[in-house]
Amino acid sequence: MNYIVAANGGMYCFYNKSGGLFWREKLGENWSEPKIFRQDGLVNFTVSLCEGKILVLCQSANKVERFLFYNGNFENGVLVEGGLEGRYYGLALEDDTFLVHNIPVNGQNSQILMSHRITPGGLWTDSRHLGRIIPLGPNNPYEIVPVANQHFLLFYQAQGGNYSGDLGYREVFGHMMGDFNIIHPNSGISGSYHSFLATKYAVHMVYMTKGLLAPALVYRRKDSAGLGAKITVATGQNVHNPLLYMEGGRLNLLFMRGDELFSCNFNDSGDAPNISPPKNMGINTANLTRSRFLCENRSEISFFANELPVSREKPWEIRVLDVREERPEARVSGAVQIGSQEEYDSFFDEL
């Protein structure tokens, strides 16, 4: 998975090519020539954004390197060395690094999920064993879903019976972590069949469920009223790749049925939202893939998403969606930014 990051008034793309890690910066209407983190030997990499700090973790067979962009400065160093497996995700906080990673277990379909705090001096502390998980997919055993600043959600499948897991999330603010909230028991999610999006007021989730006749793509929302009912969007074995995004205060969804791309949106109606009929967009999807999308100052009124459709050959070229680059605060007044202990304690209290 590649990344596009809008931060500090600029836009950047971080991508994997032929086993190496590269990045480009958007300069006006064009993108810069590629710059190299690692020429080859790349196993995994992740990118996070927190309060203007872009943190890239570059994982090879025997070490995880840490690259930090902040206020025009560039810092790098080694985070951990040794025989490494799993996927490492870090978040650069004020001084420390918050780290999540999974540990595969030989001969078992479940894995171990861990979190840590790493001090500026490199000391690993506050380590937590978060239990056994069933990976969401081969390249994304868990999902990090931003809310705002140091506030994010950690989605995963907690190990259950019958080789599947209970889909849910933990809420994280800085180094503090809440309990596991189950969204769908015995979910059995795999591959690219889910999409999660969080605002300051609700968590939006789309994922596949097992049906008597055919799998179903369903939508659920969790807000101050609790967990909403399941709303079926589409059914069939060939439904895949859902993508939630917010534009102009409205929640939208893209998904694929075979090679065809469909679009629909959600409107609030009484106690539960209703969905517009899915519309075939008539777009050739042969050259489309996904890049993660990270942006500052997320708001329901401005555009934001966690993923974007991009060109397979040029993952910095956004397709299908019209992503405006103007800063949200220029168009949104009085936006409440989450960033204090009191706000964390009150967020989702009723959930």
Side-chain angles (χ1 to χ4, degrees):
M1 179 65 73
N2 302 311
Y3 292 79
I4 293 175
V5 182
N8 303 315
M11 184 170 284
Y12 312 87
C13 179
F14 304 87
Y15 62 99
N16 176 3
K17 182 179 181 181
S18 302
L21 179 57
F22 301 83
W23 69 287
R24 293 173 183 252
E25 179 180 3
K26 193 168 188 183
L27 304 173
E29 295 299 318
N30 301 310
W31 289 85
S32 69
E33 291 300 310
K35 304 171 187 180
I36 300 174
F37 282 108
R38 171 174 284 277
Q39 186 72 48
D40 52 31
L42 181 71
V43 175
N44 285 305
F45 82 100
T46 59
V47 181
S48 67
L49 173 64
C50 181
E51 298 178 347
K53 299 178 182 178
I54 303 174
L55 177 63
V56 180
L57 297 188
C58 175
Q59 183 178 347
S60 60
N62 56 7
K63 65 181 177 180
V64 177
E65 297 171 273
R66 177 183 187 273
F67 300 89
L68 180 65
F69 295 78
Y70 186 56
N71 284 341
N73 297 317
F74 177 87
E75 301 175 6
N76 68 293
V78 176
L79 186 69
V80 59
E81 293 183 281
L84 303 172
E85 293 185 86
R87 176 173 172 263
Y88 288 71
Y89 185 95
L91 195 71
L93 305 179
E94 184 173 350
D95 296 311
D96 305 330
T97 300
F98 179 81
L99 183 70
V100 179
H101 71 102
N102 61 301
I103 305 174
V105 180
N106 289 334
Q108 299 183 27
N109 73 321
S110 66
Q111 302 182 0
I112 297 170
L113 188 63
M114 300 286 298
S115 69
H116 312 269
R117 180 169 63 92
I118 305 174
T119 68
L123 177 65
W124 289 48
T125 184
D126 292 345
S127 296
R128 296 187 62 180
H129 187 303
L130 303 178
R132 291 291 190 106
I133 66 170
I134 305 297
L136 291 172
N139 299 316
N140 56 332
Y142 53 87
E143 291 276 9
I144 301 294
V145 178
V147 181
N149 299 327
Q150 300 182 25
H151 194 170
F152 63 95
L153 307 179
L154 171 61
F155 273 87
Y156 60 92
Q157 290 186 115
Q159 184 182 29
N162 301 320
Y163 300 98
S164 64
D166 297 330
L167 175 65
Y169 67 87
R170 290 177 183 264
E171 188 179 1
V172 183
F173 187 92
H175 307 303
M176 297 174 289
M177 181 179 294
D179 295 331
F180 184 67
N181 299 277
I182 295 178
I183 297 300
H184 191 98
N186 195 26
S187 52
I189 288 178
S190 63
S192 55
Y193 302 147
H194 58 273
S195 181
F196 311 121
L197 193 67
T199 74
K200 296 189 291 290
Y201 311 107
V203 183
H204 304 280
M205 300 159 285
V206 172
Y207 55 92
M208 296 296 294
T209 62
K210 302 172 183 177
L212 294 176
L213 300 177
L217 182 65
V218 301
Y219 164 79
R220 299 192 86 174
R221 181 177 72 181
K222 193 171 185 180
D223 56 23
S224 59
L227 183 61
K230 298 176 187 176
I231 298 175
T232 300
V233 178
T235 60
Q237 298 285 351
N238 60 347
V239 175
H240 59 103
N241 275 302
L243 190 160
L244 288 167
Y245 67 98
M246 192 77 71
E247 185 175 29
R250 172 176 287 183
L251 181 67
N252 301 272
L253 172 66
L254 297 177
F255 68 92
M256 293 183 65
R257 180 180 280 120
D259 294 329
E260 297 179 306
L261 184 65
F262 288 79
S263 172
C264 56
N265 58 64
F266 297 86
N267 298 294
D268 283 338
S269 177
D271 296 330
N274 54 34
I275 184 172
S276 64
K279 179 180 65 174
N280 191 327
M281 300 187 69
I283 292 175
N284 183 357
T285 61
N287 193 39
L288 288 182
T289 186
R290 301 282 185 90
S291 280
R292 298 278 186 196
F293 181 53
L294 305 173
C295 62
E296 294 178 309
N297 306 308
R298 295 154 57 99
S299 166
E300 287 84 343
I301 298 176
S302 60
F303 177 95
F304 70 88
N306 291 329
E307 291 183 322
L308 295 174
V310 297
S311 164
R312 191 176 299 275
E313 288 79 18
K314 299 178 180 180
W316 52 90
E317 290 190 355
I318 302 168
R319 301 291 175 84
V320 183
L321 299 178
D322 180 19
V323 180
R324 294 176 297 276
E325 297 180 35
E326 59 261 32
R327 298 289 292 264
E329 63 266 28
R331 297 187 289 123
V332 182
S333 61
V336 177
Q337 294 296 316
I338 299 171
S340 69
Q341 176 64 44
E342 291 76 18
E343 288 168 328
Y344 173 79
D345 290 339
S346 63
F347 190 74
F348 290 158
D349 274 349
E350 300 180 17
L351 305 187

